[in-house]
Amino acid sequence: MSHAIDRLPRFPLATLPTPLEEARRLRESLGGPSRAPRILIKRDDLTGLALGGNKARKLEFIVGQALAEGATRLVTTGAVQSNHARMTAAAARAAGLEVTLVLTTRTPTPSFAGNLLLDRIFGADIRFIPAGPDPKLAVAPDEAERVDEVLTELRARGERPYFVPVGGSTPLGAIGYALATEEMTDQLTVRGDAPSRLYFASGSRGTHAGLALGRAMFRPPYRLSGIAVSGGEADKVPRAVRIARDAAELVGFAGDVPEDDLRTDQRFIGEGYGIPQAECIEAIALTARTEGILLDPVYTGKAMAALVHDVRGGAVSATETIVFLHTGGGPGLFAYGDAFAGV
Ligand SMILES: *Cc1c(COP(=O)(O)O)cnc(C)c1O
């Protein structure tokens, strides 16, 4: 099956392997070895591409395919502070391509801060579309139609746009996280660690699908604790299952990817996508002050809030070892200054 992966077009974007580090002071702050588990942090915030994050692993396969198809431009979508859009803009430039971003905004004139500033610096063609009424959803309800209009316009100009669905959550993108599982499993073997669970933020579910496929393929010791950062579980679970199973087909893996691995913990969404609750802000400050590591207000802060909650509540025991997958997102902090006013 690894031969099938080796045959897929891949454009190098990520600095790999990323470090796997023990967070001793974070453990200490949660009660120390008698109360809190060992915590390892997988530093996918350090993948390198345009300030890093999980999308670099996905984009290696997505951009590889776009180049193989002779694309002239990447087109993708997301929220106005999308890390995925920022990293897709960077990936396009690294591959010599043009880039169009269709971004959902809740305010008519979003400020060019955080990821959106970086999108502008990359020279992306940015199209804003207004959000719908449901704050739990990350993107506009008519996003697909709006993207179709843009693709039609670009083709009429003689371009060959390659559309990257939101979050890069496609079967090709998920392969990046199947391989990340192999990387992590090797690192755990070298360290002699057998963690019981992997905590991570789950948004558009491509990372989750890849981690579930990776678990089926490489049999790491941990179970998956995917922490949802946005609503729509009823639609997203079957979509994640499809992504994982289609990715399995692409890499020639015949085993099953169980649906159970693709469910998420819904308790830490807060008021909605991109709205950090007090527990998220606290988790960001705690991780920064104990480890010198920056989480983000949209994804990893909520995932760490879940881990902190589970440790304090006793759902995770002191005898366990946990891996926290740091998926990046730091640039988003610069658009959330007000959320940290009282911290
Ligand atoms: C996109 C993103 C995620 C979620 O990944 P999905 O594959 O969309 O579920 C998590 N953390 C950060 C920082 C992200 O940018």
Side-chain angles (χ1 to χ4, degrees):
M1 60 195 171
S2 66
H3 296 295
I5 293 182
D6 291 342
R7 278 198 301 272
L8 291 169
R10 184 175 184 179
F11 184 80
L13 293 166
T15 304
L16 303 177
T18 59
L20 181 65
E21 299 170 345
E22 184 165 357
R24 290 195 182 78
R25 281 169 299 277
L26 178 60
R27 183 189 201 186
E28 214 48 60
S29 75
L30 293 171
S34 64
R35 303 260 304 279
R38 292 181 67 225
I39 300 170
L40 306 175
I41 303 186
K42 176 63 170 166
R43 300 292 306 274
D44 272 13
D45 56 321
L46 302 180
T47 54
L49 177 69
L51 305 179
N54 61 339
K55 304 309 181 302
R57 290 188 191 265
K58 300 176 174 191
L59 285 163
E60 289 203 340
F61 291 96
I62 291 168
V63 172
Q65 182 63 27
L67 292 173
E69 292 180 17
T72 58
R73 177 182 293 264
L74 301 182
V75 177
T76 198
T77 70
V80 77
Q81 278 300 327
S82 167
N83 299 302
H84 165 69
R86 176 245 312 168
M87 298 187 76
T88 300
R93 293 328 198 177
L97 300 172
E98 296 296 322
V99 57
T100 295
L101 306 175
V102 179
L103 302 179
T104 293
T105 171
R106 294 191 180 278
T107 53
T109 52
S111 92
F112 279 81
N115 284 298
L116 189 57
L117 169 64
L118 304 185
D119 298 342
R120 177 181 262 181
I121 292 173
F122 286 121
D125 161 37
I126 302 171
R127 317 286 183 97
F128 292 116
I129 59 174
D134 184 353
K136 286 203 161 46
L137 297 181
V139 296
D142 64 343
E143 188 196 56
E145 290 90 327
R146 305 304 298 275
V147 167
D148 277 343
E149 288 166 18
V150 171
L151 292 173
T152 304
E153 174 203 315
L154 292 168
R155 288 191 189 106
R157 275 203 246 145
E159 293 222 32
R160 294 177 58 111
Y162 184 94
F163 177 59
V164 183
V166 70
S169 288
T170 64
L172 278 175
I175 290 167
Y177 271 89
L179 288 182
T181 305
E182 183 178 36
E183 179 183 304
M184 228 181 325
T185 305
D186 290 347
Q187 288 174 318
L188 290 168
T189 303
V190 168
R191 296 178 61 98
D193 278 312
S196 51
R197 310 177 214 212
L198 177 76
Y199 275 73
F200 61 98
S202 193
S204 60
R205 309 292 169 101
T207 302
H208 201 154
L211 290 169
L213 173 59
R215 190 163 116 85
M217 289 173 73
F218 303 109
R219 300 272 161 210
Y222 54 74
R223 285 175 291 129
L224 300 180
S225 291
I227 311 302
V229 300
S230 51
E233 182 83 353
D235 295 331
K236 284 180 177 174
V237 171
R239 194 173 81 201
V241 170
R242 264 198 314 279
I243 295 170
R245 291 181 182 163
D246 288 352
E249 206 171 305
L250 284 174
V251 302
F253 175 70
D256 185 40
V257 184
E259 178 172 329
D260 237 22
D261 274 6
L262 290 156
R263 298 186 204 289
T264 62
D265 181 344
Q266 302 280 294
R267 294 173 299 160
F268 298 89
I269 298 171
E271 274 179 59
Y273 176 80
I275 307 174
Q277 68 274 51
E279 292 80 0
C280 169
I281 299 296
E282 189 219 332
I284 293 171
L286 181 69
T287 308
R289 291 168 195 188
T290 56
E291 296 292 337
I293 291 175
L294 291 170
L295 301 176
D296 83 287
V298 180
Y299 295 95
T300 52
K302 290 182 179 181
M304 185 59 84
L307 176 54
V308 168
H309 176 94
D310 288 351
V311 171
R312 287 183 181 150
V316 172
S317 86
T319 58
E320 292 181 57
T321 297
I322 303 294
V323 181
F324 180 85
L325 173 60
H326 189 337
T327 43
L333 283 170
F334 299 106
Y336 279 83
D338 294 347
F340 294 88
V343 171

